[in-house]
Amino acid sequence: MRINPFLRSLALFMALLFLTTSCMIYKDVMDVAPKTKERPQFEQFPESEFMKMGANERIIAKTAERDYNVLYKKVENGTLIGLVWKEPVTGDILKLNDRYLIKIPLEEIQKVEVWKKNYVVWGVVGVASIVGFVFMFKSISLNFSPWDDAGI
């Protein structure tokens, strides 16, 4: 029995797609548990929202000028303190010894997103990868014979 070329292509596409998908996403810190009832308008980003994060968590602090990719350290006296791990202007990832400490006043921050695991994507990627690999290996095994070129 030969597998339809469309199914073979679909299986290869699914395997490649899900092997390159990340199971981590940036979530708005206001959506990270414990959830707040409403999203209030504020003049200064609430310092209490930073209590949801641990040290060295990846965050994106968005200001009016640019987005900062920061490894969160702490909030002290109305200032976010962390290490910049991605260049804000070019977006290049910095080497460990090139990372630098940054202090961003909470008045300038408009939004903070936290790097969190997405368990739904993990499940979908896992199931789709298994299905894709099964189709791929069946396709390879049904369409490959070591005796084709041997002249037997």
Side-chain angles (χ1 to χ4, degrees):
M1 177 178 124
R2 295 185 72 84
I3 292 180
N4 185 341
F6 171 73
L7 289 177
R8 185 176 344 133
S9 300
L10 180 63
L12 289 173
F13 173 74
M14 283 175 43
L16 289 174
L17 174 69
F18 292 117
L19 284 175
T20 59
T21 304
S22 175
C23 295
M24 300 288 284
I25 60 169
Y26 281 103
K27 289 180 78 175
D28 189 348
V29 74
M30 301 293 263
D31 295 334
V32 176
K35 296 187 179 212
T36 54
K37 299 270 185 208
E38 69 269 345
R39 298 169 75 90
Q41 296 296 323
F42 43 79
E43 293 178 12
Q44 177 177 326
F45 200 85
E47 195 168 322
S48 62
E49 292 297 321
F50 291 97
M51 297 305 189
K52 299 176 183 178
M53 294 182 273
N56 292 324
E57 254 189 289
R58 282 189 196 178
I59 64 171
I60 298 176
K62 297 185 177 198
T63 64
E65 292 86 35
R66 58 181 46 109
D67 300 346
Y68 296 96
N69 288 281
V70 178
L71 293 173
Y72 172 74
K73 295 294 180 196
K74 62 183 174 179
V75 172
E76 189 175 86
N77 299 327
T79 304
L80 168 67
I81 300 171
L83 283 176
V84 174
W85 65 273
K86 202 175 198 184
E87 184 59 44
V89 178
T90 61
D92 296 335
I93 295 176
L94 300 172
K95 296 177 186 169
L96 282 175
N97 56 350
D98 291 337
R99 294 178 180 176
Y100 56 91
L101 193 68
I102 190 169
K103 295 180 178 182
I104 306 171
L106 294 182
E107 301 93 36
E108 294 180 13
I109 297 175
Q110 296 175 344
K111 186 176 182 181
V112 174
E113 294 178 346
V114 188
W115 187 246
K116 290 289 180 188
K117 292 178 182 170
N118 189 342
Y119 295 107
V120 173
V121 173
W122 278 21
V124 171
V125 167
V127 169
S129 296
I130 291 169
V131 169
F133 279 121
V134 167
F135 274 114
M136 185 174 66
F137 286 124
K138 278 188 175 183
S139 172
I140 289 170
S141 65
L142 292 175
N143 292 319
F144 174 74
S145 174
W147 296 283
D148 282 345
D149 295 332
I152 295 178

